[in-house]
Amino acid sequence: MRKGTKSSLYTSFSPITEDVKPEGSQYVEVDGGHLLHKIVWRQQATFGAIADRYVQYLNNKYGQDIAVIFYGFPDDDKKSTKNCERLRRAAHFSPDVMFHEETVLQYTKEKLLANECNKKRFIELLKKALQKANICVQQAVEDADLTIVNTAISVAPQYDYVRVVGEDIDLLILLTALASTHSKNKFISLFLKHEELLNRVTTFLNPQATTEQITEAGGNVLVALYGGDPATQNLDELRYHSFVKAAAKTKFNLARLPPTTDAAQLHAMRSYHQVQTWLGNEKDPLKWGWTHTPSGLFPKKSEKDPTPESLLQCISCTCKKGCTNACGCRKADLHCYLLCKHCIGQSCENPMPVILDNESEEGDAPAPIDMVDEQLECEDIEL
């Protein structure tokens, strides 16, 4: 499935423009990943001076009783389901820089922190500066979100207010799921409004759930979220009807179609694995939608073709020569075929691979092109 924009959930809330200053005691928990991006790094400043600016920012903004929680870096990150996301974010090359408090900054913050080793070093340096200023610092084993929320809930009885500062929507979801039952039901009813949909979601909380139960529940939820009826429709049917309706318009976005059943099942399995991780139940990621690669764990891709082979063959190009990079068939990751206007899948650089049939009799001649075309016109296409 396509990677969603989790922050879009924020649009469901009305923003508060004024600074919230609650009366009474308060405890502030700050997401370390969020904190890293709050301070502008001045060129030619030392790393020690940069760390001091973070300390000053926290003290001026939140006062006392502050805790900063950073995400962790597992020893074997290739076994982590977060590894592929870290690789995606670090797509741009960044040099490995050795530095200490007296080292003068020579790179932009974005370029320096794009390197995971540099980020680890700076977090260690920043942790020392924060601890020296009597600011509580924790580092999670891996994902900090669960540690932040659990810590906030555990200290809540000691303070009038607990303030969680961060930008990750997972913090809001976890606070909703792990806080009191009253607030959880109120929040879910606000977004889902359907009790039967909420009942299906609870399957993801069951540590003994089977893959069949999870994929069925996930499919039902997605059908409902896309406006269908889970009792009478599956995702593939809903996807087809949505496409037919959208195709009648002059302009439509294919990305808005519901996912295929195969893609949704893998997505549901990965979602279940994440929920169980949050609940403290360790599950084998390889059994729940992840696969091993040389770079570590990556989401398992859908195993089904995007469309039937007979339909794929209807894609053709109009290249007059070559069929090189601009060829429509190449762009669709297909070989040129008999339907191609000029090359007919033969006189080009992208022909169909030749498959020798051992059972064919020597001397059999291929059918004439016009005869093959006539056969294709009469052939039914199965969808």
Side-chain angles (χ1 to χ4, degrees):
M1 289 180 63
R2 300 172 297 277
K3 181 175 176 58
T5 305
K6 295 192 293 184
S7 58
S8 61
L9 184 58
Y10 286 128
T11 59
S12 301
F13 298 88
S14 300
I16 299 176
T17 56
E18 59 188 35
D19 192 16
V20 179
K21 295 182 179 179
E23 296 181 359
S25 61
Q26 74 162 344
Y27 187 83
V28 181
E29 280 200 54
V30 182
D31 182 351
H34 164 76
L35 177 64
L36 288 178
H37 301 287
K38 297 302 291 184
I39 299 298
V40 176
W41 290 16
R42 295 171 180 169
Q43 290 297 315
Q44 302 304 314
T46 65
F47 282 91
I50 293 172
D52 290 339
R53 292 197 66 203
Y54 281 97
V55 173
Q56 184 180 7
Y57 169 82
L58 290 172
N59 287 330
N60 292 342
K61 184 78 173 177
Y62 304 115
Q64 299 178 343
D65 292 331
I66 308 169
V68 179
I69 301 180
F70 293 98
Y71 49 83
F73 300 88
D75 295 333
D76 189 356
D77 58 359
K78 289 189 176 182
K79 293 183 179 180
S80 168
T81 57
K82 303 294 182 182
N83 181 56
C84 60
E85 181 66 13
R86 282 195 284 265
L87 290 176
R88 184 188 69 82
R89 293 178 179 177
H92 302 291
F93 173 76
S94 178
D96 197 356
V97 180
M98 302 300 297
F99 56 85
H100 50 77
E101 291 183 357
E102 301 302 323
T103 304
V104 176
L105 177 66
Q106 301 293 336
Y107 299 91
T108 63
K109 176 174 66 175
E110 291 72 20
K111 187 171 184 178
L112 189 86
L113 296 183
N115 183 307
E116 286 290 296
C117 294
N118 294 340
K119 186 178 290 187
K120 290 179 187 178
R121 293 189 191 101
F122 182 74
I123 288 177
E124 287 300 320
L125 186 149
L126 180 56
K127 283 167 57 179
K128 293 178 181 178
L130 295 174
Q131 290 168 342
K132 187 177 179 180
N134 296 321
I135 295 175
C136 180
V137 180
Q138 295 184 52
Q139 188 157 15
V141 176
E142 186 176 0
D143 192 0
D145 296 335
L146 183 60
T147 303
I148 292 171
V149 172
N150 281 336
T151 304
I153 294 173
S154 66
V155 302
Q158 307 170 33
Y159 295 87
D160 296 320
Y161 299 93
V162 175
R163 189 172 177 181
V164 176
V165 181
E167 294 179 341
D168 195 336
I169 199 66
D170 288 349
L171 293 172
L172 178 60
I173 294 171
L174 284 168
L175 280 169
T176 303
L178 299 178
S180 66
T181 304
H182 172 73
S183 62
K184 178 170 62 177
N185 289 340
K186 183 177 179 180
F187 181 84
I188 292 178
S189 64
L190 176 66
F191 286 95
L192 303 181
K193 298 181 181 178
H194 300 289
E195 185 176 350
E196 67 277 8
L197 199 59
L198 179 59
N199 292 335
R200 294 189 182 101
V201 172
T202 57
T203 306
F204 286 77
L205 302 177
N206 180 9
Q208 306 302 325
T210 64
T211 55
E212 291 77 13
Q213 291 172 327
I214 292 301
T215 54
E216 181 182 0
N220 288 336
V221 170
L222 284 171
V223 168
L225 290 177
Y226 276 94
D229 182 4
T232 59
Q233 288 179 301
N234 60 38
L235 274 172
D236 291 333
E237 292 172 341
L238 182 61
R239 181 180 173 88
Y240 170 74
H241 290 300
S242 299
F243 172 78
V244 171
K245 187 183 296 184
K249 302 177 182 179
T250 56
K251 186 178 181 181
F252 67 94
N253 185 0
L254 285 174
R256 293 184 177 275
L257 292 177
T260 63
T261 297
D262 195 41
Q265 288 176 346
L266 291 170
H267 179 71
M269 291 166 67
R270 288 190 291 270
S271 299
Y272 175 74
H273 179 268
Q274 181 62 68
V275 169
Q276 292 302 311
T277 300
W278 283 339
L279 294 175
N281 302 319
E282 188 173 344
K283 297 287 183 180
D284 184 359
L286 298 180
K287 296 180 180 179
W288 294 100
W290 294 88
T291 185
H292 265 310
T293 73
S295 299
L297 290 175
F298 271 68
K300 188 177 180 181
K301 295 182 179 179
S302 175
E303 296 178 349
K304 291 186 177 180
D305 293 330
T307 190
E309 180 66 22
S310 55
L311 189 59
L312 287 176
Q313 302 300 350
C314 293
I315 299 176
S316 61
C317 71
T318 57
C319 304
K320 293 185 177 180
K321 63 177 182 178
C323 295
T324 53
N325 293 335
C327 173
C329 294
R330 279 185 181 271
K331 290 181 179 179
D333 199 23
L334 297 172
H335 293 285
C336 289
Y337 194 64
L338 294 169
L339 295 178
C340 295
K341 186 174 181 179
H342 296 289
C343 70
I344 60 174
Q346 296 178 359
S347 58
C348 70
E349 298 180 16
N350 186 40
M352 289 287 292
V354 177
I355 301 176
L356 298 177
D357 187 355
N358 294 330
E359 296 181 359
S360 62
E361 296 182 5
E362 186 176 354
D364 284 352
I369 295 301
D370 55 349
M371 184 183 298
V372 176
D373 285 342
E374 184 178 351
Q375 292 171 353
L376 284 172
E377 291 176 359
C378 299
E379 184 179 355
D380 292 333
I381 297 178
E382 297 181 3
L383 297 177

